[in-house]
Amino acid sequence: MDTYRTTISDKRWIAYDIPGNIGWITWLVCAVRGLREKRDIHSLAALVPAVLMLTGVVELISERIHGLDRVLSGKRLFRGFGALTAGGMLGIPIALFGLKKNKKRAAVMLAGSVLCAFFAGLLLAGYKKQ
């Protein structure tokens, strides 16, 4: 089984972690609010990145519980940071599509998805195969 390790400093980790967390939390709040207001194609499509983001978060919490935050198997790495990065990336076109319907919410969702994709992607890229 492939193992991945990161040597990112604690300061850099926190600098990436906080805006990344703001991103996925923002996306989830907006997606739930949009779904509660109106069930249309956009609000339903917003659930796909939300599920990916939640999958990543649950995996990362599980990794922390097991003390595996700096050394991960490939499966855990991609299920955690990979899912967060993919969720953020997928959220970008969905948020852009939503600009026609609710500009304010879609703009906030776009910001959230960019933050999530960018900072989770930086953490993902910091892991190197051993």
Side-chain angles (χ1 to χ4, degrees), residues 18-99:
I18 291 171
N21 286 338
I22 290 169
W24 69 260
I25 291 168
T26 299
W27 181 272
L28 289 178
V29 168
C30 290
V32 169
R33 288 186 70 186
L35 192 61
R36 288 179 61 198
E37 287 178 14
K38 186 175 184 182
R39 287 196 175 116
D40 59 5
I41 189 69
H42 182 257
S43 64
L44 293 173
L47 293 178
V48 176
V51 168
L52 283 169
M53 291 174 188
L54 281 174
T55 299
V57 169
V58 168
E59 179 61 33
L60 293 172
I61 290 170
S62 170
E63 291 166 6
R64 292 276 171 117
I65 290 170
H66 289 93
L68 302 172
D69 58 340
R70 300 293 177 140
V71 179
L72 301 172
S73 68
K75 182 192 278 188
R76 284 187 172 271
L77 177 64
F78 295 113
R79 205 169 38 204
F81 291 114
L84 273 171
T85 304
M89 290 174 66
L90 182 58
I92 293 169
I94 292 171
L96 290 172
F97 173 73
L99 285 171

Side-chain angles (χ1 to χ4, degrees), residues 4 14 116:
Y4 294 80
I14 292 168
C116 182

